[in-house]
Amino acid sequence: MAFDNALVSRVNGTSTTGGTSGMGATSASELGEEFMSLLVAQLNNQDPLNPMENSEFTSQIAQINTVSGIDKLNDTLSSITGQIDASQKLQAGAMVGRGVLVEGNKVQVGKDTVLPFGIELDDDAAQVTATITDASGRTINQYDLGEIKAGVQSFNWDGTDTSNARVEGGTYQVTIAAIDGSGRAVASRALQYGYVSGVMTGGNATRLDLGPNMGSVAFNDVKQIL
């Protein structure tokens, strides 16, 4: 029996002029209509002595339903994505003026204040040590934080050195070392404090503006809101 080769090619997702066009060139609804046209033509022109098997007919009907289902699924996913983006922007807007912890090892010391820092552990730790160093790498102070559960915890340094003297204002670094009950290292990350001064909603991701010293971070990069 004879069929329209162009129609067959579109249904199969191929081009009669070479190469593969894929479903992007033809919408799922158009593809479903063309598939039905091809199926009707096949039924009208099939060999009476060798009719189409029930399994073949069922398979082609199932393919039509699959194409239609994929089209509806894509529309649903697009709608859900849009709702998530809108919700995330609203949540980010509510964070303006709040302090957050993000990955980083800096601790800022001012005249009368010391900004907090944080620790993120992948597993429970039997012993955690935080070491404060200055810009030259010299150890300023060291603290045994004891046993800490997995997750994120925030801490406050009093801004003093090992002799309990107040350190000068500036930027210091914190290094974290953690071990479990067997003495094995536990994966850990230091977290630094940032102040959310604004929200950036351009592009595909919502970002929080943490000022000129820290730049912007993705909304999902926030480990804790203080």
Side-chain angles (χ1 to χ4, degrees):
M1 59 185 168
F3 296 108
D4 183 348
N5 288 332
L7 178 59
V8 174
S9 297
R10 287 196 295 274
V11 170
N12 289 333
T14 60
S15 172
T16 56
T17 58
T20 300
S21 62
M23 286 186 61
T26 306
S27 70
S29 59
E30 292 174 341
L31 184 59
E33 293 174 1
E34 292 176 346
F35 204 153
M36 183 61 73
S37 297
L38 177 62
L39 184 59
V40 171
Q42 183 177 2
L43 291 174
N44 289 334
N45 294 277
Q46 64 180 322
D47 185 354
L49 300 179
N50 185 25
M52 181 188 299
E53 295 289 341
N54 288 339
S55 59
E56 294 180 63
F57 184 81
T58 303
S59 175
Q60 294 192 20
I61 292 296
Q63 291 180 53
I64 295 174
N65 290 334
T66 298
V67 169
S68 176
I70 291 174
D71 189 39
K72 293 179 181 178
L73 178 60
N74 287 336
D75 290 342
T76 301
L77 289 176
S78 296
S79 175
I80 292 174
T81 299
Q83 293 176 15
I84 291 175
D85 290 343
S87 176
Q88 192 176 73
K89 289 176 182 178
L90 289 174
Q91 293 176 16
M95 292 176 62
V96 175
R98 301 288 298 274
V100 296
L101 289 179
V102 297
E103 193 164 337
N105 67 343
K106 293 181 175 60
V107 181
Q108 300 292 337
V109 176
K111 181 179 180 181
D112 299 312
T113 60
V114 180
L115 295 182
F117 67 92
I119 297 173
E120 183 178 27
L121 299 176
D122 288 354
D123 298 294
D124 293 347
Q127 181 179 355
V128 179
T129 302
T131 303
I132 308 295
T133 58
D134 61 15
S136 65
R138 180 174 61 92
T139 297
I140 300 298
N141 214 328
Q142 190 173 72
Y143 299 92
D144 181 4
L145 302 177
E147 181 179 347
I148 298 178
K149 296 292 185 181
V152 174
Q153 301 287 341
S154 60
F155 297 91
N156 289 285
W157 172 41
D158 61 5
T160 61
D161 58 19
T162 53
S163 63
N164 291 324
R166 176 78 177 189
V167 300
E168 296 181 356
T171 301
Y172 294 80
Q173 288 78 40
V174 57
T175 303
I176 307 301
I179 58 175
D180 61 17
S182 301
R184 291 175 298 202
V186 174
S188 61
R189 286 162 295 282
L191 306 176
Q192 64 186 32
Y193 177 90
Y195 176 81
V196 181
S197 59
V199 177
M200 306 166 65
T201 59
N204 297 324
T206 300
R207 300 185 67 83
L208 304 177
D209 184 4
L210 302 184
N213 294 329
M214 294 182 62
S216 65
V217 298
F219 181 78
N220 294 333
D221 289 339
V222 173
K223 304 297 183 178
Q224 190 177 74
I225 303 172
L226 301 177

